[in-house]
Amino acid sequence: MEPGGEEKQLGGRKLGRVVFTVEQVRARVRELGAEISDAYRTEDRLLVVGLLKGSFIFLADLVREIALPLHVDFLVAASYGASTVSSGDVRLLYDPASSLEGRAVLVVEDIVDSGTTLKRLLPRLQARGPTSLEVCTLLHKRVDGGEPAPRWVGFDAPNEFLVGYGLDHAEDFRHLPYIASL
Ligand code: IMP
Ligand code: MG
């Protein structure tokens, strides 16, 4: 980036420390892709469902590391608004249009905090008859009650509010290529 480019990218706002660098994220996404490719190696109908908006960058990088035929769909859920604390009220704004019936479904999430989002969404997806339903989250805060545990976790996250690589605060900072604390 150009000198001063990062300051420009942040729109003059200040962030805390960088928690996971571009290189750390890239290496871990590659590992996750390899593990997922191995786990689903006999599967030819994998459906990867990204939870928008937070997972959009992670999902885009992850699917390019999965060496299997797959389809991609999205789900839009919202719980935080402009707050940094989960409201506990998860609204589903868009349901995947794809049929989940008889398919191996892998839900891709940016970060699990209280686990409320997944707790609300997974039963609704399960009811649509997938042969398997698993979760891959890039980050996990390991907060008590954050059940059920996702099958794949990129990194254990500190209990701080994180932004970048898809994660936002009031829609800011999603485009940063690394993950930082606010
Ligand atoms: P949960 O329902 O409490 O597990 O929260 C999950 C959702 O809240 C994630 O999909 C994120 O969109 C958002 N979230 C939780 N923690 C953070 C954070 O540290 N930064 C940005 N978004 C977060
Ligand atoms: Mg969010």
Side-chain angles (χ1 to χ4, degrees), residues 15-107:
L15 283 181
R17 67 199 169 91
V18 172
V19 178
F20 299 107
T21 65
V22 170
E23 291 74 23
Q24 283 174 307
V25 171
R26 187 178 298 142
R28 188 64 186 123
V29 170
R30 202 165 282 163
E31 284 174 2
L32 289 170
E35 286 172 28
I36 290 166
S37 303
D38 187 48
Y40 291 101
R41 64 192 173 279
T42 59
E43 187 56 61
D44 56 6
R45 301 201 66 214
L46 178 61
L47 176 64
V48 180
V49 177
L51 245 91
L52 291 177
K53 300 175 196 173
S55 74
F56 83 110
I57 295 180
F58 176 42
L59 179 129
D61 285 346
L62 183 67
V63 291
R64 283 178 283 182
E65 299 292 342
I66 301 178
L68 295 172
L70 59 80
H71 289 181
V72 174
D73 207 336
F74 295 97
L75 203 109
V76 187
S79 69
Y80 273 59
S83 165
T84 57
V85 181
S86 178
S87 67
D89 166 35
V90 179
R91 289 175 304 137
L92 200 56
L93 307 176
Y94 171 78
D95 231 3
S98 315
S99 168
L100 307 191
E101 180 94 45
R103 306 199 61 170
V105 174
L106 177 64
V107 173

Side-chain angles (χ1 to χ4, degrees), residues 51-55 77-80 83-90 108-120 137 139-141 143 146 157-164 166-170 174 179-180 182:
L51 245 91
L52 291 177
K53 300 175 196 173
S55 74
S79 69
Y80 273 59
S83 165
T84 57
V85 181
S86 178
S87 67
D89 166 35
V90 179
V108 176
E109 170 68 308
D110 54 353
I111 184 164
V112 177
D113 181 1
S114 68
T116 308
T117 304
L118 289 178
K119 220 177 294 169
R120 297 282 159 82
T137 184
L139 299 159
H140 200 308
K141 286 189 182 169
V143 172
N159 200 5
E160 297 168 59
F161 199 81
L162 303 178
V163 296
L167 289 91
D168 73 306
H169 175 245
R174 288 194 197 277
I179 296 166
L182 199 63

